[in-house]
Amino acid sequence: DEEQEQYLVQREIYRQLKSLSLSNNNRIDGLAFYKNEMSVYWNYVKWGKDIGRWDRFLIRLDKVVSDFGQSYLRPLGLLVFFHLLVCISIWTFESHDYMFWNGDFFSGLKEYFHWLIPVYKAPPEWGTMAVVSGVLGRIFGGFFIYHLIKASRKFAKV
C-alpha cells in the first residue's frame, strides 16, 4: 500500500540523517532524528499486517514509557506512581503491621523507599497477597529503572 511505502521512505531518510549526524559527532541532532525515525516506524508498525502483535506491543510500550528512550521523566514518574500503588496494596493487606495508616507518615515513607529497591527482603509475616504485590512491585520497579537508565544514557550512544 502506498501509505506504508511512504513510512518506509521517511524512516530511511531519518535513519540516514541520524547516521550522518552521529558520524559528525552531533549527538543532539542524531537523537532527534532517531526519535523521528522511531515515530515513523511506529506509524508503519501500527497499521502494518506483517508485524506481529507482540512486536507492536513492545514498540508501543517503548514509545509510551520512555518516548523511545528520549525521556527520563516518564519512566521516573511511572516508577513513582506504580510503586505507590504497590505500597498501598501492601499496606491494605498488611495494615495491622504498618503504621502508615495510623498517622505515622515517616514510617510509611521509609517503607516506600525501602521497597523501591527491587532486591529488598520481604518480611516473613507478610501474607500471600502482600508477597504477590511485592513481586509485582519488583517487576515494575526493575522495568521502569531499566528505562530510566536507558534514557539517562541517551548521550552515550544511539
Side-chain angles (χ1 to χ4, degrees), residues 61-142:
L61 192 62
D62 192 30
K63 177 178 177 34
V64 169
V65 170
S66 67
D67 199 21
F68 301 117
Q70 302 299 305
S71 172
Y72 59 88
L73 291 177
R74 279 188 195 179
L76 180 62
L78 289 168
L79 173 65
V80 168
F81 174 73
F82 278 101
H83 188 66
L84 181 63
L85 293 179
V86 166
C87 287
I88 287 173
S89 69
I90 291 172
W91 290 324
T92 301
F93 295 126
E94 301 294 325
S95 62
H96 59 279
D97 293 332
Y98 301 104
M99 301 301 294
F100 187 77
W101 296 126
N102 298 331
D104 191 358
F105 176 77
F106 291 107
S107 290
L109 195 61
K110 179 181 170 191
E111 291 167 347
Y112 177 87
F113 284 112
H114 176 71
W115 297 335
L116 190 59
I117 302 167
V119 293
Y120 68 88
K121 184 173 179 175
E125 64 270 5
W126 274 8
T128 305
M129 293 308 294
V131 170
V132 168
S133 296
V135 168
L136 287 175
R138 291 172 194 219
I139 291 169
F140 282 123

